[in-house]
Coordinates of all heavy atoms in Angstrom, one line a residue:
L280 N 0.8 -1.2 0.0 CA 0.0 0.0 0.0 C 0.9 1.3 0.0 O 0.6 2.2 -0.7 CB -0.9 0.0 1.2 CG -1.9 1.2 1.3 CD1 -2.8 1.3 0.1 CD2 -2.7 1.1 2.6
Y281 N 1.9 1.2 0.8 CA 2.8 2.4 0.8 C 3.4 2.7 -0.5 O 3.4 3.8 -1.0 CB 4.0 2.1 1.9 CG 5.0 3.3 1.9 CD1 4.6 4.5 2.4 CD2 6.3 3.0 1.5 CE1 5.6 5.5 2.4 CE2 7.2 4.1 1.6 CZ 6.9 5.3 2.0 OH 7.8 6.3 2.1
I282 N 3.9 1.7 -1.2 CA 4.5 1.8 -2.5 C 3.4 2.4 -3.5 O 3.7 3.3 -4.3 CB 5.1 0.5 -3.1 CG1 6.4 0.2 -2.2 CG2 5.5 0.6 -4.5 CD1 6.9 -1.2 -2.4
Q283 N 2.3 1.8 -3.5 CA 1.2 2.3 -4.4 C 0.8 3.7 -4.1 O 0.7 4.5 -5.0 CB -0.1 1.4 -4.1 CG -1.3 1.9 -4.8 CD -2.6 1.2 -4.3 OE1 -2.5 0.0 -3.8 NE2 -3.7 1.8 -4.5
Q284 N 0.7 4.1 -2.8 CA 0.3 5.5 -2.5 C 1.5 6.4 -2.9 O 1.2 7.6 -3.4 CB 0.0 5.6 -1.0 CG -1.3 5.0 -0.6 CD -1.6 5.1 0.9 OE1 -0.7 5.5 1.7 NE2 -2.8 4.8 1.3
Q285 N 2.7 6.0 -2.6 CA 3.8 6.9 -2.9 C 4.0 7.1 -4.5 O 4.3 8.2 -4.9 CB 5.1 6.3 -2.4 CG 5.2 6.4 -0.8 CD 5.2 7.9 -0.4 OE1 6.1 8.6 -0.8 NE2 4.2 8.3 0.3
M286 N 3.7 6.0 -5.2 CA 3.8 6.2 -6.7 C 2.7 7.2 -7.1 O 3.0 8.1 -7.9 CB 3.5 4.8 -7.3 CG 3.6 4.9 -8.9 SD 5.3 5.4 -9.5 CE 6.1 3.9 -9.3
Q287 N 1.5 7.1 -6.6 CA 0.5 8.0 -7.0 C 0.8 9.5 -6.6 O 0.7 10.4 -7.4 CB -0.8 7.6 -6.3 CG -2.0 8.6 -6.5 CD -3.3 8.2 -5.8 OE1 -3.5 7.0 -5.6 NE2 -4.0 9.1 -5.3
S288 N 1.3 9.6 -5.3 CA 1.6 11.0 -4.9 C 2.8 11.6 -5.5 O 2.8 12.8 -5.8 CB 1.8 11.0 -3.3 OG 2.9 10.3 -2.9
H289 N 3.8 10.7 -5.9 CA 5.0 11.3 -6.6 C 4.6 11.6 -8.0 O 5.2 12.6 -8.6 CB 6.1 10.3 -6.5 CG 6.9 10.4 -5.2 ND1 6.6 9.8 -4.1 CD2 8.0 11.1 -5.0 CE1 7.4 10.1 -3.1 NE2 8.3 10.9 -3.6
Q290 N 3.7 10.9 -8.6 CA 3.3 11.3 -10.0 C 2.6 12.6 -10.0 O 2.8 13.5 -10.8 CB 2.5 10.2 -10.6 CG 3.3 9.0 -11.0 CD 2.5 7.8 -11.4 OE1 1.3 7.7 -11.0 NE2 3.1 6.8 -12.0
Q291 N 1.8 12.8 -8.9 CA 1.1 14.1 -8.8 C 2.1 15.2 -8.5 O 2.0 16.3 -9.1 CB 0.1 14.1 -7.6 CG -1.1 13.2 -8.0 CD -2.1 13.0 -6.8 OE1 -1.7 13.4 -5.6 NE2 -3.2 12.4 -7.0
A292 N 3.1 15.0 -7.6 CA 4.1 15.9 -7.3 C 4.9 16.3 -8.5 O 5.2 17.5 -8.7 CB 5.0 15.4 -6.2
L293 N 5.2 15.3 -9.4 CA 5.9 15.6 -10.6 C 5.2 16.5 -11.5 O 5.8 17.4 -12.1 CB 6.3 14.3 -11.3 CG 7.1 14.4 -12.5 CD1 8.5 15.0 -12.2 CD2 7.3 13.0 -13.2
M294 N 3.9 16.3 -11.6 CA 3.0 17.2 -12.4 C 3.1 18.7 -11.9 O 3.2 19.6 -12.7 CB 1.6 16.8 -12.5 CG 1.3 15.6 -13.4 SD -0.4 15.3 -13.6 CE -0.7 14.2 -12.2
V295 N 3.0 18.8 -10.6 CA 3.1 20.2 -10.0 C 4.4 20.8 -10.2 O 4.5 22.0 -10.7 CB 2.8 20.1 -8.4 CG1 3.2 21.4 -7.7 CG2 1.4 19.7 -8.1
Q296 N 5.5 20.1 -10.0 CA 6.9 20.6 -10.2 C 7.1 20.9 -11.7 O 7.6 22.0 -12.0 CB 7.9 19.6 -9.7 CG 7.8 19.4 -8.2 CD 8.0 20.6 -7.3 OE1 8.6 21.6 -7.7 NE2 7.5 20.5 -6.0
Q297 N 6.8 20.0 -12.6 CA 7.0 20.3 -14.0 C 6.2 21.5 -14.5 O 6.7 22.3 -15.2 CB 6.7 19.1 -14.8 CG 7.7 17.9 -14.7 CD 7.3 16.7 -15.4 OE1 6.1 16.3 -15.5 NE2 8.3 15.9 -15.9
N298 N 4.9 21.6 -14.0 CA 4.0 22.7 -14.4 C 4.6 24.0 -14.0 O 4.7 24.9 -14.7 CB 2.6 22.4 -13.9 CG 1.7 23.5 -14.4 OD1 1.5 23.7 -15.6 ND2 1.1 24.2 -13.5
Y299 N 5.0 24.1 -12.7 CA 5.5 25.3 -12.2 C 6.9 25.7 -12.9 O 7.2 26.8 -13.2 CB 5.6 25.4 -10.7 CG 5.7 26.8 -10.2 CD1 4.5 27.6 -10.1 CD2 6.9 27.5 -10.0 CE1 4.5 28.9 -9.8 CE2 6.9 28.9 -9.7 CZ 5.7 29.6 -9.6 OH 5.7 30.9 -9.3
A300 N 7.7 24.7 -13.1 CA 9.0 24.9 -13.7 C 8.8 25.5 -15.1 O 9.6 26.3 -15.6 CB 9.8 23.6 -13.8
K301 N 7.8 25.1 -15.8 CA 7.5 25.5 -17.1 C 6.7 26.8 -17.2 O 6.9 27.7 -18.0 CB 6.7 24.4 -17.9 CG 6.6 24.7 -19.4 CD 6.0 23.5 -20.1 CE 5.9 23.7 -21.6 NZ 5.3 22.5 -22.3
H302 N 5.7 26.9 -16.3 CA 4.7 28.0 -16.4 C 4.7 29.0 -15.2 O 3.9 29.9 -15.2 CB 3.3 27.5 -16.6 CG 3.1 26.6 -17.8 ND1 3.2 27.0 -19.1 CD2 2.9 25.3 -17.8 CE1 3.0 26.0 -19.9 NE2 2.9 24.9 -19.2
G303 N 5.5 28.7 -14.2 CA 5.5 29.5 -13.0 C 5.8 31.0 -13.2 O 6.6 31.4 -14.1

């Protein structure tokens, strides 16, 4: 469960970081 949740949350975090890096 930890690995599953971390994968989901890190994919979301990656979207946030990439979006701000590009459009911030």
